[in-house]
């Protein structure tokens, strides 16, 4: 399978791009994001010192950039079972917020909370809901989210006037049938462009 530009960039600085949103990743190995930034800076410095021209074709496309930010945001989630990240952009493609799924800000889960996957589910605030709490209706024109929004989140996104959504993976609803979310139908009804990357 062909790697994306983002994955190739991560390989060049020896960062595990495959780990984004992966709950099995050992957090002690990549806890300090400064190490990643230092490697990126060193790579840039080496390129400049050798007078190598950087090919503009190697630049991340805007959807790849948006998804990379969403994946980094997902890494902040304390949920050991499902890590979802999201990022919002205004009409000028400026970042206006990042968010991830988790418990309410400032709340500390009691001991044993994370041991029951199903029980914890009803307490989780989805990344899209956290994201929409950061701006007013009409401020965001586009979002990127690591997982397709669920039905409820799609309604929230429509209420905030968001016109385009990039997402990474399909959302499978829990339950016996394990059906796929009906978000594509909801997006179509409300005129929201839903694009899988």
């Amino acid at each position: 399978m062909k790697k994306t530009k983002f994955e190739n960039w991560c390989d060049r600085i020896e960062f595990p791009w495959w780990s984004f949103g992966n709950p099995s990743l050992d957090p002690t190995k990549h806890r300090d994001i400064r190490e990643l930034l230092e490697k990126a800076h060193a790579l840039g410095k080496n390129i400049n010192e050798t007078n190598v021209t950087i090919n503009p074709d190697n630049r991340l496309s805007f959807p790849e950039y948006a998804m990379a930010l969403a994946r980094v945001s997902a890494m902040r989630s304390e949920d050991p079972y499902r890590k979802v990240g999201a990022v919002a952009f205004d009409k000028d493609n400026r970042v206006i917020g990042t968010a991830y799924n988790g418990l309410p800000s400032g709340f500390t889960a009691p001991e044993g909370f994370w041991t029951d996957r199903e029980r914890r589910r009803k307490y989780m605030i989805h990344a899209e809901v956290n994201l929409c709490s950061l701006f007013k209706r009409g401020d965001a024109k586009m979002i990127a989210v690591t997982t397709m929004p669920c039905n409820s989140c799609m309604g929230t996104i429509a209420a905030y006037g968001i016109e385009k959504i990039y997402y990474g993976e399909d959302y499978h609803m829990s339950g016996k049938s394990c059906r796929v979310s009906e978000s594509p139908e909801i997006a179509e009804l409300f005129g929201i462009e839903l694009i899988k990357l």
Side-chain angles (χ1 to χ4, degrees):
M1 178 188 261
K2 186 177 176 187
K3 290 183 181 178
T4 66
K5 291 175 192 170
F6 174 73
E7 292 165 348
N8 286 326
W9 180 83
C10 286
D11 285 347
R12 287 177 63 195
I13 62 167
E14 299 173 8
F15 187 77
W17 55 266
W18 42 264
S19 68
F20 287 123
N22 183 348
S24 64
L25 176 69
D26 179 357
T28 60
K29 291 182 181 174
H30 302 287
R31 183 170 287 156
D32 190 356
I33 199 73
R34 284 184 300 227
E35 181 182 332
L36 167 65
L37 296 174
E38 287 169 5
K39 286 183 178 183
H41 178 71
L43 178 66
K45 187 181 258 184
N46 292 342
I47 288 172
N48 292 336
E49 288 172 357
T50 58
N51 295 321
V52 174
T53 304
I54 298 173
N55 183 348
D57 292 339
N58 288 335
R59 184 179 183 200
L60 292 176
S61 69
F62 186 77
E64 289 172 324
Y65 167 69
M67 189 56 64
L69 292 175
R71 288 180 176 140
V72 169
S73 296
M75 295 171 75
R76 287 279 303 148
S77 174
E78 67 257 280
D79 187 339
Y81 303 105
R82 184 164 193 77
K83 296 185 179 296
V84 179
V87 60
F89 296 86
D90 67 10
K91 64 179 175 49
D92 296 319
N93 290 336
R94 292 179 296 206
V95 175
I96 59 172
T98 61
Y100 47 89
N101 64 313
L103 299 171
S105 182
F107 179 80
T108 303
E111 188 160 337
F113 178 83
W114 298 110
T115 58
D116 186 341
R117 182 176 185 165
E118 291 306 312
R119 187 176 147 257
R120 70 92 178 97
R121 188 179 306 244
K122 64 185 171 190
Y123 300 106
M124 300 305 295
I125 300 172
H126 289 197
E128 300 91 331
V129 172
N130 277 330
L131 185 66
C132 289
S133 73
L134 302 175
F135 50 83
K136 297 181 302 193
R137 184 189 187 334
D139 284 354
K141 296 300 177 194
M142 190 275 294
I143 67 168
V145 62
T146 56
T147 303
M148 178 194 295
C150 69
N151 297 347
S152 179
C153 286
M154 188 58 79
T156 300
I157 291 166
Y160 273 82
I162 295 165
E163 300 168 358
K164 184 184 285 188
I165 302 168
Y166 292 110
Y167 71 96
E169 61 184 55
D170 290 331
Y171 180 84
H172 295 278
M173 298 167 62
S174 63
K176 296 175 185 171
S177 65
C178 288
R179 346 176 247 130
V180 175
S181 169
E182 296 170 321
S183 288
E185 291 175 47
I186 298 168
E188 184 178 354
L189 178 67
F190 293 123
I192 299 170
E193 197 175 352
L194 186 61
I195 304 163
K196 183 174 184 176
L197 296 181

